Amino acid sequence: MEWILERSTPEPINDTQLLRRIAAGEEAALRALFEIYGQRMYAYALRWMGDPASAEDVVQESLVTVWQSAGRYRGDGCPAAWLMGIVHFKALNALRRKETLSLDATESEPPAPGGLPEEKAADRADREAVRQALSQLSAEHRAVLELVFYGGMSLQEIADVMNCPLGTVKSRLAYARAALRGYLDRQGLREEMK
Amino acid sequence: MNAHKKFRENLPFYVSGALDANERRALEDHLQTCAECQADLALWRSTAQEVTEQSASLQVSERVIESALGQIRAEQRQPGALRRAMDLLASQIPLVRHEVWPASALIFLIGYSAAVLVKMEFILQLIAPMVAAWGIAALYGPENDQAFELAAATPTHQAQILLARLAAVFGYNLALAVTVSLAATPFIPTINLSGLILSWLAPMTFLAALALLLSLWMSTGSAVVIPYLLWLGKFILGSMLVGKSAGPVIVGAAAEGITLFIRFWENPLLLFGLAAVLLAGALLSLRWPDRRLPRLV
């Protein structure tokens, strides 16, 4: 069906083998893991952190943790979910540190999608509206969408990554849907009023 | 669950391709007749397209993996916890007052000689806690000494420095006490080695911890005198309680108090427990730079 996204999910068996090689101390395996998942890890970290430098720090810390704990991965569950769970944990820790360090920072603005290229001139108005609607979402709702659409994960895998019940993932998705719909409807009303 | 609600929850996963074949077919059937889900599907499609395009356009720098590998290599070069502990222990030995080492050994040698000559293990029981208390009392004073300044200038926490030095001196005295107890065994027929070691080990630990706390809060002199008075009091008061020819010197309530005091020294669990409390108190008090009690000596 044309609506279904095309995405390339690496073979789980390869991921498991990579983790075994990392556990054995093979640096090349960590590089290979970064080749496969680096961008996905970075994109997810960026949704939480809001700025590229902090997101890179989170990915770096996550890679170090993967190196240290790959031996503890038992192969029960998706390696990608295990990996993104580490990124999730590191991002939340970094956010807590950030909040502690800058108590007086203004946080009313939702994190902008940093590091994005200039949009093409041919982009349609509804694309811009969706982009605006996405930028209104909180980091946790935006992060769920990242895991669903860019991570290609199932409901259970997302719950594993975010270390929360299935119901919480469902309610975050429902909230994101309502918020996106509400924003787009308001935009539509404004256009009609012009 | 309401079938429509279930289909609605599945829509994002339908778009992402994470549904299995059965779920996908069922949802496609439902979509034929449900206008609300069709509208939601359009919304999720736009959202998915935007999310994937935004994320796919991101470039993660190669320096992230290089920095991570650099951090991993740096951490691997650091010595392990045991090695760090041994280094810290070794670094503290030259900082302990130099006279502690030969003096402790000399007292043990004299005690050993006396015990063997008069064939009384009681002498070893008496001196082991006293030497330990003296050694620990001389570890650290509330006054700033050269060792303190050096320790304060290192990145190691003050409590770790104190523990390392405590371990070095206490370990040395413990080794001496065990050595003389073992060496005395062939020469004293009545000796019971395990009983002898237990009779000095628990008081030795308690008095060493007390001496440490007092040396931090009062002075080295007080940290020697108070534990010595307590320990010698056990023997002096004990002898008054058990008179040989003329009967007990002390009777009544005072005698009961003294009996309790003597039993205190014969209760290893209580002594080890109190030693742990005193040690914890000493380490916690390091955070309190203005700690001072009147010095007795």
Side-chain angles (χ1 to χ4, degrees):
Chain A
M1 168 89 55
E2 61 171 348
W3 289 340
I4 298 174
L5 287 178
E6 284 184 16
R7 59 188 173 83
S8 58
T9 306
E11 288 292 317
I13 185 72
N14 291 342
D15 293 344
T16 308
Q17 283 169 353
L18 269 184
L19 289 177
R20 284 200 191 117
R21 285 168 54 203
I22 292 169
E26 199 182 316
E27 283 188 8
L30 191 68
R31 283 184 192 279
L33 189 88
F34 179 73
E35 284 295 315
I36 298 167
Y37 286 107
Q39 194 186 24
R40 220 172 295 186
M41 293 165 80
Y42 175 66
Y44 187 65
L46 188 61
R47 296 303 154 221
W48 282 105
M49 304 308 298
D51 74 280
S54 303
E56 284 187 358
D57 288 345
V58 166
V59 177
Q60 182 184 327
E61 280 184 39
S62 304
L63 289 168
V64 173
T65 302
V66 167
W67 178 268
Q68 291 164 341
S69 54
R72 291 201 288 277
Y73 175 70
R74 296 277 169 245
D76 47 349
C78 170
W82 180 78
L83 181 66
M84 297 306 283
I86 291 174
V87 181
H88 179 82
F89 178 75
K90 293 289 175 189
L92 291 196
N93 271 354
L95 273 180
R96 281 188 206 110
R97 282 201 302 271
K98 214 173 174 181
E99 281 164 10
T100 312
L101 288 174
S102 57
L103 288 172
D104 55 348
T106 52
E107 296 175 47
S108 54
E109 289 297 314
L116 298 177
E118 291 298 314
E119 62 181 300
K120 293 172 186 169
D123 269 2
R124 298 193 308 264
D126 62 336
R127 290 283 309 278
E128 179 56 34
V130 171
R131 186 174 301 176
Q132 288 296 325
L134 279 170
S135 72
Q136 304 297 313
L137 292 179
S138 70
E140 67 180 11
H141 296 108
R142 186 67 178 79
V144 174
L145 298 183
E146 192 71 32
L147 294 176
V148 174
F149 297 121
Y150 196 55
M153 290 183 174
S154 68
L155 190 64
Q156 181 61 57
E157 286 166 350
I158 295 169
D160 291 343
V161 169
M162 301 189 113
N163 194 26
C164 65
L166 287 176
T168 305
V169 180
K170 286 180 188 174
S171 64
R172 283 179 186 169
L173 275 171
Y175 180 91
R177 187 198 65 82
L180 291 170
R181 171 70 67 209
Y183 183 85
L184 294 174
D185 285 351
R186 284 196 299 278
Q187 291 296 104
L189 279 176
R190 269 187 217 138
E191 278 169 14
E192 283 174 15
M193 287 166 68
K194 283 178 187 173
Chain B
M1 185 197 286
N2 181 325
H4 168 70
K5 191 182 172 195
K6 174 74 181 164
F7 287 128
R8 201 175 182 184
E9 285 174 355
N10 275 347
L11 275 171
F13 300 99
Y14 173 72
V15 173
S16 75
L19 293 187
D20 64 34
N22 288 337
E23 288 172 317
R24 199 167 61 238
R25 270 195 298 275
L27 182 56
E28 282 168 358
D29 289 344
H30 175 74
L31 276 167
Q32 303 293 327
T33 55
C34 181
E36 195 180 348
C37 281
Q38 284 171 15
D40 270 7
L41 179 64
L43 175 73
W44 285 127
R45 276 183 62 209
S46 307
T47 305
Q49 201 171 0
E50 188 56 35
V51 168
T52 46
E53 282 187 16
Q54 279 187 9
S55 297
S57 66
L58 296 172
Q59 289 296 320
V60 56
S61 168
E62 279 296 311
R63 72 170 175 271
V64 173
I65 181 70
E66 297 307 330
S67 302
L69 286 170
Q71 190 181 336
I72 288 163
R73 289 178 199 130
E75 283 173 10
Q76 282 173 339
R77 279 195 297 272
Q78 282 185 354
L82 183 64
R83 179 63 192 269
R84 283 203 302 277
M86 293 306 290
D87 287 348
L88 183 59
L89 199 62
S91 72
Q92 294 306 303
I93 290 172
L95 298 176
V96 174
R97 296 178 188 183
H98 297 308
E99 64 270 25
V100 164
W101 312 108
S104 296
L106 188 65
I107 296 169
F108 270 111
L109 186 65
I110 294 168
Y112 166 74
S113 307
V116 170
L117 278 175
V118 299
K119 302 207 181 306
M120 285 178 71
E121 68 268 29
F122 149 78
I123 296 172
L124 296 179
Q125 185 194 349
L126 177 72
I127 62 166
M130 294 175 72
V131 174
W134 172 71
I136 300 298
L139 271 189
Y140 237 67
E143 66 279 357
N144 282 6
D145 57 14
Q146 197 180 4
F148 176 83
E149 297 298 335
L150 189 62
T154 65
T156 311
H157 192 272
Q158 203 183 347
Q160 287 176 303
I161 299 274
L162 186 60
L163 271 177
R165 207 175 295 182
L166 179 80
V169 174
F170 188 80
Y172 175 69
N173 287 326
L174 186 64
L176 284 176
V178 170
T179 305
V180 295
S181 296
L182 282 170
T185 306
F187 303 104
I188 305 175
T190 58
I191 209 165
N192 169 359
L193 186 62
S194 58
L196 173 63
I197 290 177
L198 198 62
S199 71
W200 55 252
L201 183 60
M204 178 176 173
T205 310
F206 168 73
L207 288 178
L210 179 64
L212 176 72
L213 188 73
L214 293 175
S215 71
L216 291 172
W217 283 71
M218 298 170 88
S219 66
T220 302
S222 308
V224 173
V225 169
I226 294 172
Y228 274 30
L229 285 176
L230 287 172
W231 183 236
L232 290 174
K234 177 207 168 194
F235 295 95
I236 295 165
L237 292 171
S239 67
M240 291 167 80
L241 199 62
V242 191
K244 280 185 180 169
S245 52
V249 179
I250 300 172
V251 289
E256 283 176 20
I258 292 168
T259 308
L260 270 179
F261 180 69
I262 291 169
R263 280 190 191 150
F264 165 76
W265 293 105
E266 291 163 356
N267 187 339
L269 271 182
L270 180 63
L271 289 167
F272 284 130
L274 282 174
V277 172
L278 290 171
L279 180 61
L283 293 175
L284 285 174
S285 74
L286 290 173
R287 297 179 179 187
W288 201 351
D290 294 330
R291 57 179 186 271
R292 281 287 186 282
L293 282 177
R295 42 196 302 162
L296 297 181
V297 181

